[in-house]
Amino acid sequence: MISYLLPFFAGFALSASLIVAIGAQNLFVLRQGLKKEHVGMIVLFCGLSDALLIVAGVSGMGAFLNRVPQVSTAFALSGALFLAWYGLKSLQRAKNQDSMTVTQGQSVSLGKALAAVAAFTWLNPHVYLDTVLLMGTASTAQPIALRPFFAAGAASASFLWFASLGYGARLLQPIFAKPQAWRVLDMLIGCIMLFLAALLFWQGGQHIF
């Protein structure tokens, strides 16, 4: 039993250390959590996406991506365009004097919310670096028979993090009862998105030129 728990917690610890960082996906989950809008489906989508990528990495997909850098470049440039668009949109919201409160306005449909979180997830090359390449490489330290437990631990950390972020965001609702707090959040999101977009453009351009 202990032999199964060790790789499980090794995967859990590594995944937790990688995923707890300010990024586009986490900020989107936080914002939807504050709005109490489609939180369950967004958390489930993020967790399942990470689980799928982790399994792919443990199964050896990371070696394939290392041999085809053009794939990473395409994702970087596509992700940069999306982040730049979303960042500008967030800054535009921050300028709006009628910026939302927790209880009003600016709702999005489930389809649009899932499309946005899918773009944040699958167009971010850093997601592949963390889940596919790093997780895949780290899993090779485990015997082949124990690698599924490593992947299960890593995926469990992802589900726990997104659930905590999405459902724990409501604890901040007293702060975000004021429109000014939403304008500050949107400005922060916009600046981070534009910074990440510039970073991805720079990284993608290095492989092209």
Side-chain angles (χ1 to χ4, degrees):
M1 182 66 178
I2 296 179
S3 63
Y4 298 146
L5 290 178
L6 289 177
F8 179 90
F9 284 114
F12 186 97
L14 178 59
S15 179
S17 68
L18 293 172
I19 199 172
V20 182
I22 296 177
Q25 185 189 48
N26 285 343
L27 286 173
F28 183 79
V29 175
L30 175 64
R31 196 175 197 281
Q32 291 303 115
L34 287 167
K35 294 168 64 179
K36 292 185 178 180
E37 194 172 75
H38 315 305
V39 178
M41 290 300 296
I42 289 173
V43 167
L44 181 62
F45 181 92
C46 291
L48 288 176
S49 295
D50 271 10
L52 180 61
L53 290 167
I54 289 167
V55 170
V58 173
S59 300
M61 184 179 174
F64 167 75
L65 290 179
N66 274 328
R67 293 195 299 267
V68 190
Q70 296 85 351
V71 174
S72 297
T73 300
F75 277 117
L77 295 179
S78 299
L81 289 172
F82 176 77
L83 289 176
W85 171 80
Y86 195 89
L88 292 173
K89 186 177 178 181
S90 295
L91 292 178
Q92 186 177 26
R93 277 200 308 263
K95 292 181 180 179
N96 186 1
Q97 295 301 315
D98 299 321
S99 185
M100 67 172 290
T101 65
V102 170
T103 58
Q104 71 181 32
Q106 296 191 4
S107 296
V108 296
S109 66
L110 175 60
K112 288 183 178 180
L114 289 178
V117 76
F120 287 129
T121 302
W122 294 93
L123 291 180
N124 181 6
H126 295 291
V127 170
Y128 299 91
L129 175 63
D130 291 346
T131 58
V132 178
L133 297 178
L134 292 181
M135 288 289 181
T137 301
S139 70
T140 59
Q142 305 292 335
I144 294 178
L146 296 180
R147 289 177 190 175
F149 296 96
F150 179 90
S156 297
S158 179
F159 275 105
L160 180 61
W161 167 251
F162 286 118
S164 299
L165 187 63
Y167 289 105
R170 63 193 62 194
L171 298 176
L172 299 174
Q173 283 185 345
I175 298 174
F176 286 89
K178 299 179 180 180
Q180 180 62 28
W182 282 96
R183 285 196 286 270
V184 172
L185 178 64
D186 281 327
M187 186 172 296
L188 174 65
I189 290 175
C191 291
I192 291 176
M193 297 294 181
L194 291 177
F195 171 77
L196 293 174
L199 185 63
L200 289 180
F201 269 124
W202 178 74
Q203 291 174 338
Q206 280 189 318
H207 292 291
I208 294 176
F209 300 107

